[in-house]
Amino acid sequence: MRVPLSWLREYVDLPAGVTGREVAEKLIQAGLEVETVEQLGGDLKGPLVVGEVLSIEELTGFKKPIRHCFVNVGDANGTGEPQEIVCGARNFAVGDKVVVVLPGAVLPGPFPIAARQTYGHTSAGMICSARELGMGDDHDGIIVLPPEYVPGTDAIELLELVDEVLDIAVTPDRGYCLSMRGVAREAATAFGLPLADPALLDVPPANSYGYLVKVADPAGCDRFVARTVVGVDPAAKSPIWLQRRLQKMHVRPISLAVDITNYVMLEVGQPLHAYDRNRVDGPIQVRRAEPGEVLTTLDGQRRELSAEDLLICDNSGPIGLAGVMGGASTEILDPVVDAETGVVTGTTEVIIEAAHFDPVSIARTAKRHKLPSEASKRFERGVDPEAARAAAQRAVDLLVLIAGGTAEAGVTDIAAPHPVRTITIAADLPDRVAGTEYGRETVTRRLQEVGCTVVGADVLEVTPPTWRPDLTDPNDLAEEVIRLEGYDNVPARMPQVPPGQGLTAAQRMHRRVGVALAGAGYVEVNNYPFLGDAAFDALGLAAGDERRRTVKLVNPLNDEEPALRTTLLPGLLGALRRNVGRGNTDLAVFEQSIVFQPDAEPKVAPRPAVDRRPSDAELAALNEALPQQPRHVAVALAGERLPSGWWGKGAQASWADAIEAARVVARAAGVELTTRVAQYAPWHPGRCAELVVAGTDRVVGHAGELHPRVVKAMHLPERTAVMELDLDALAADGERRVEGPTVSGFPVATQDVALIVDTAVPAAEVEAALRDGAGELLEAIRLFDVFTGEQVGEGKKSLAYALRFRATDRTLTADEASAARESAVATAQQRTGAVLRGA
């Protein structure tokens, strides 16, 4: 919203020395977003005057038409003699009044003006176009003024070329500031001055002989005012002051009737529409579109209408998209001059429409037809329904004043009943919200300045004004008080944290996991929690996979990712792919965050009030409506896990590293994991481990290498390894005490054992059997060799383990260590069918 300071002064008697920047500072303190303060005519210097064209000589022999003119500029040139000027424009004639800049002046740019020789003549000045004066982008021809202006009149003042314009970014909740009336109200409050409200007009009451209007959809149109002006002079043009105000607002002047409707909309905030009454067939009707209806709008586009579109119609059908754009069939005609008689024909009878439409309906129509307009922008944000009568009256007054028309006595005003909105607010609520003391008198005064009616003492009954549909709750009113008192006056105080509340057990565990993975060489990443079906397809998940059942977002940021994630892998692998694409080939990354698992029957969350804390029952209902949100941790590895160098060849990341990452997480959580072979997408069917909490059958995750098809689909390095683990399931048994290792001062006894088993037998099962069989004397066990070949037989493998035995109270004898080893081997033979190698 652009706000010329000269126009603003009509409604607020600002001090004479106040600048646009000072006004902007006050409005910013009141909560408005003033983006810029534009200085119009800041580098403009006269003399710039009105001139009368006395003679025109057409010069020939040049590449373009040139005219040698003599122009009467009065006494502005110091001599009173006609000014000699060479000009290339052709849209003026002898006797026209034009704008002339004389030598010594400076035009915006800056562009100094001096007399010079051109085309064989002296040009002492210039006849100006709108663009040369900074009035707009129109450079098709020079400005032709109305004939009543006297040569030599100062054109800088006449055309209001020097001004300051505030450019305000109006937020959706402050639609009333899309008008001079709304901004003036804020400025008056900010400066503590009275407001001259442009909507306070004497308006005749509705009567039965106004233009006939039928509203078939009162929910879509709850107010419709129609006024008629006859005897309008079709040759009448918008006066300079009106054109200049529109131009400063970046609105192009078109014709008198259209300019007046635009002017009143910018002034009062109520969009208007003007119809040529002679082109309207019968009564005006407001209804929804019917199947198959079409409308050609003022922009010349033929639009197929939807049943949700609210229309303005007559007996011939649709004549306008309500609140968005009018139809071409009833538009105001451009004046046409008869070449022989000089008689001007055009629109002489005008119907003014000022209506109030449902914001949601208008917003949907504008979006559906991709037709944003100044009118729809205001209706979407909320227009004052009580301003319609005043806006229509203002337009009628201007048509009568400028175009010589006559206002018909008939007044149409159809209004649906509006319940009075009353908000109950504690007088000290703004104090409690801001943490400072305003007092009841200040709260009452500020709410009244907003336009509210306030009744009460400790508890206030507040009726918001009709132009503030955004005020619906007590906290809205508290915000108004706080912003008018100044956000910079709100004290900065640290919140008082109740003593004795630290991290929960789960939070401590989550931190330990992150620190442990970082210590193991992993880098943490954070990804957006959104995904789509394409992510599941890339992972190769089956159609019935539980992870494909997602929570859908009502208003997603991206149509291709409309759901919340059920696994961390898509985001993590996407981060891995981006890093590899930028040359980071050796990677180990992890993410720890929540995933979203919808319930079988989703529940609808209640909407609690905002004027109080929700009750325990309401909080429980809100929590119950949420999807399950377990916390997961996942890692991804690619490239070298141990780097190559002068010391030798490094080691590539593999499935074993992914499993070890799971063990790192488990140790940080105080839990022991066991592994077993599994087939689970998106992992490689032969290189996938199922992660199980030791001593239970509770599966908490998977680790291994990705399936080659997944690697190819996601453009990842070969043999990328990943792990994903459910932290909540891992710690389901509660927090466990972390116990340090037992330290013994007695020597260790080492025994090696090599066992031959079937290749299908997991090494983890053999290790578990050896551990159980060795008993309490076993301190540690380590797999140090895996061998396959002819020596062990086809379909077999040799697993070599180093067993460390130690007692806490004595030195073990060789017989004790050997007995423990033999017991471990016997248990492995019994459980896994192992055979002692070399036996």
Side-chain angles (χ1 to χ4, degrees):
M1 175 69 184
R2 291 172 60 83
V3 180
L5 191 60
S6 60
W7 194 356
L8 183 65
R9 289 182 182 275
E10 284 197 5
Y11 313 122
V12 184
D13 189 15
L14 298 172
V18 170
T19 66
R21 293 195 177 278
E22 291 171 336
V23 175
E25 289 176 3
K26 287 284 190 180
L27 293 178
I28 290 171
Q29 291 174 0
L32 297 183
E33 298 180 18
V34 182
E35 295 187 330
T36 60
V37 179
E38 183 179 352
Q39 303 289 331
L40 299 183
D43 51 2
L44 179 64
K45 178 183 176 183
L48 183 74
V49 298
V50 175
E52 180 182 5
V53 180
L54 300 177
S55 66
I56 300 174
E57 178 188 357
E58 302 288 347
L59 303 181
T60 58
F62 301 101
K63 293 182 179 179
K64 60 180 181 179
I66 299 297
R67 310 173 96 185
H68 178 231
C69 309
F70 282 95
V71 183
N72 176 18
V73 294
D75 295 329
N77 58 3
T79 65
E81 296 295 325
Q83 199 78 2
E84 183 181 5
I85 298 175
V86 175
C87 181
R90 307 190 61 79
N91 67 314
F92 63 97
V94 173
D96 282 346
K97 300 293 177 64
V98 294
V99 180
V100 179
V101 59
L102 300 177
V106 178
L107 292 182
F111 182 58
I113 301 299
R116 61 192 178 94
Q117 291 291 323
T118 179
Y119 298 103
H121 294 273
T122 299
S123 184
M126 187 169 69
I127 303 175
C128 301
S129 70
R131 190 169 71 178
E132 290 163 344
L133 297 179
M135 296 170 57
D137 295 329
D138 186 6
H139 198 57
D140 295 336
I142 57 90
I143 301 171
V144 177
L145 300 173
E148 62 266 21
Y149 295 109
V150 178
T153 303
D154 184 2
I156 295 178
E157 183 178 351
L158 173 66
L159 298 177
E160 301 179 12
L161 297 178
V162 179
D163 202 350
E164 293 181 275
V165 180
L166 284 65
D167 195 349
I168 302 176
V170 179
T171 52
D173 61 326
R174 300 203 181 277
Y176 67 96
C177 284
L178 288 171
S179 67
M180 293 299 301
R181 180 195 186 199
V183 177
R185 184 179 300 279
E186 293 294 329
T189 303
F191 282 91
L193 297 171
L195 170 69
D197 191 344
L200 291 180
L201 301 175
D202 290 330
V203 182
N207 50 53
S208 60
Y209 41 93
Y211 197 91
L212 183 59
V213 176
K214 300 177 181 179
V215 177
D217 189 344
C221 175
D222 55 13
R223 190 75 180 263
F224 197 106
V225 176
R227 300 290 299 278
T228 305
V229 180
V230 298
V232 172
D233 181 3
K237 296 182 179 179
S238 300
I240 290 176
W241 65 266
L242 194 153
Q243 293 188 45
R244 287 298 294 135
R245 288 190 172 178
L246 293 178
Q247 289 169 344
K248 291 176 185 179
M249 307 288 275
H250 285 178
V251 176
R252 181 173 60 90
I254 298 174
S255 64
L256 178 59
V258 175
D259 292 348
I260 286 175
T261 58
N262 285 333
Y263 178 84
V264 174
M265 176 184 69
L266 295 172
E267 182 181 48
V268 181
Q270 168 67 53
L272 303 176
H273 190 71
Y275 302 93
D276 185 331
R277 186 165 77 166
N278 294 322
R279 305 179 71 188
V280 177
D281 182 9
I284 291 176
Q285 306 164 43
V286 183
R287 60 171 175 82
R288 298 288 174 174
E290 297 176 355
E293 283 191 305
V294 295
L295 170 66
T296 300
T297 47
L298 288 172
D299 58 359
Q301 297 294 318
R302 187 174 183 272
R303 303 181 184 277
E304 296 182 2
L305 303 177
S306 165
E308 294 184 6
D309 291 333
L310 191 65
L311 302 180
I312 308 298
C313 306
D314 64 5
N315 291 338
S316 66
I319 59 174
L321 273 175
V324 180
M325 184 174 286
S329 63
T330 57
E331 70 174 316
I332 302 298
L333 296 174
D334 293 331
V336 178
V337 181
D338 188 286
E340 295 181 0
T341 63
V343 175
V344 180
T345 59
T347 298
T348 59
E349 299 183 359
V350 177
I351 301 174
I352 297 295
E353 167 207 303
H356 184 264
F357 301 110
D358 174 52
V360 175
S361 176
I362 300 305
R364 288 176 176 172
T365 296
K367 184 176 182 180
R368 184 182 304 113
H369 293 283
K370 299 179 181 179
L371 189 61
S373 65
E374 290 295 322
S376 67
K377 181 167 68 173
R378 285 162 173 79
F379 280 123
E380 289 169 12
R381 289 160 174 79
V383 169
D384 181 7
E386 297 300 321
R389 298 171 66 246
Q393 182 64 46
R394 178 71 165 138
V396 167
D397 292 344
L398 289 172
L399 276 173
V400 171
L401 175 67
I402 300 171
T406 301
E408 287 193 343
V411 177
T412 302
D413 186 1
I414 300 175
H418 271 281
V420 177
R421 295 184 299 119
T422 301
I423 304 171
T424 301
I425 175 176
D428 64 343
L429 178 61
D431 299 9
R432 289 186 278 114
V433 171
T436 189
E437 185 175 348
Y438 295 122
R440 183 180 63 81
E441 291 184 1
T442 298
V443 171
T444 301
R445 174 172 57 85
R446 288 302 190 184
L447 291 177
Q448 288 173 341
E449 289 175 348
V450 170
C452 299
T453 301
V454 184
V455 177
D458 294 336
V459 177
L460 305 178
E461 296 290 333
V462 181
T463 303
T466 54
W467 60 83
R468 293 298 302 271
D470 59 302
L471 301 180
T472 59
D473 296 296
N475 281 330
D476 296 333
L477 301 177
E479 180 186 0
E480 292 299 299
V481 174
I482 295 168
R483 77 173 181 87
L484 293 180
E485 283 294 304
Y487 291 122
D488 52 346
N489 294 325
V490 176
R493 295 193 182 97
M494 292 296 292
Q496 298 297 318
V497 181
Q501 293 187 3
L503 298 177
T504 65
Q507 289 171 332
R508 290 195 297 270
M509 188 264 284
H510 298 159
R511 289 195 176 187
R512 289 198 305 270
V513 168
V515 170
L517 286 173
Y522 290 85
V523 177
E524 186 172 14
V525 298
N526 291 294
N527 298 297
Y528 286 118
F530 312 118
L531 47 66
D533 290 337
F536 297 129
D537 296 338
L539 292 178
L541 303 188
D545 195 294
E546 186 67 17
R547 286 167 290 181
R548 282 186 176 270
R549 198 165 61 86
T550 58
V551 176
K552 298 294 191 303
L553 298 173
V554 175
N555 189 20
L557 297 178
N558 183 351
D559 290 340
E560 295 180 358
E561 296 178 327
L564 293 172
R565 65 189 174 194
T566 55
T567 169
L568 299 180
L569 294 184
L572 193 64
L573 293 176
L576 185 77
R577 181 180 64 249
R578 285 190 296 275
N579 277 272
V580 170
R582 287 160 176 75
N584 300 323
T585 55
D586 301 327
L587 292 164
V589 294
F590 82 96
E591 181 173 12
Q592 183 183 180
S593 190
I594 60 174
V595 298
F596 303 85
Q597 298 172 352
D599 296 327
E601 297 182 2
K603 302 178 180 64
V604 178
R607 184 180 179 184
V610 299
D611 58 342
R612 56 178 174 78
R613 184 184 185 278
S615 65
D616 292 341
E618 288 174 325
L619 290 174
L622 285 170
N623 289 329
E624 187 153 351
L626 294 175
Q628 298 298 315
Q629 301 175 51
R631 179 172 287 267
H632 282 203
V633 62
V635 305
L637 306 102
E640 290 187 338
R641 187 74 177 102
L642 297 176
S644 301
W646 58 265
W647 51 82
K649 185 175 178 59
Q652 292 290 315
S654 69
W655 57 268
D657 296 298
I659 293 175
E660 180 58 26
R663 291 196 173 105
V664 168
V665 172
R667 284 194 292 271
V671 179
E672 184 180 353
L673 285 181
T674 61
T675 59
R676 57 193 185 201
V677 177
Q679 292 188 9
Y680 191 68
W683 281 271
H684 189 296
R687 297 169 186 160
C688 174
E690 195 172 63
L691 307 174
V692 184
V693 176
T696 71
D697 287 330
R698 187 165 72 246
V699 178
V700 294
H702 295 81
E705 290 184 14
L706 287 176
H707 196 289
R709 284 197 296 268
V710 176
V711 170
K712 182 178 180 180
M714 300 192 72
H715 306 287
L716 298 171
E718 292 184 1
R719 306 199 71 169
T720 296
V722 298
M723 178 275 294
E724 184 168 17
L725 196 153
D726 186 338
L727 281 176
D728 290 354
L730 183 71
D733 295 332
E735 187 177 19
R736 300 186 182 186
R737 183 182 300 275
V738 179
E739 297 181 359
T742 301
V743 179
S744 173
F746 295 95
V748 66
T750 303
Q751 297 274 350
D752 292 344
V753 60
L755 301 175
I756 298 175
V757 295
D758 293 338
T759 54
V761 177
E765 292 186 13
V766 178
E767 179 180 325
L770 290 173
R771 190 182 297 277
D772 292 344
E776 295 181 355
L777 295 179
L778 182 67
E779 182 183 73
I781 182 172
R782 177 175 62 88
L783 175 67
F784 67 85
D785 183 56
V786 178
F787 176 77
T788 57
E790 296 180 359
Q791 294 90 330
V792 297
E794 185 177 355
K796 302 289 185 180
K797 62 182 176 183
S798 171
L799 305 176
Y801 293 90
L803 308 178
R804 290 168 57 90
F805 299 100
R806 194 192 318 250
T808 58
D809 57 350
R810 67 186 187 282
T811 299
L812 294 178
T813 64
D815 290 341
E816 287 177 311
S818 296
R821 172 182 178 276
E822 290 173 2
S823 175
V825 170
T827 303
Q829 289 174 336
Q830 179 182 0
R831 290 189 188 176
T832 66
V835 176
L836 191 64
R837 188 174 177 183

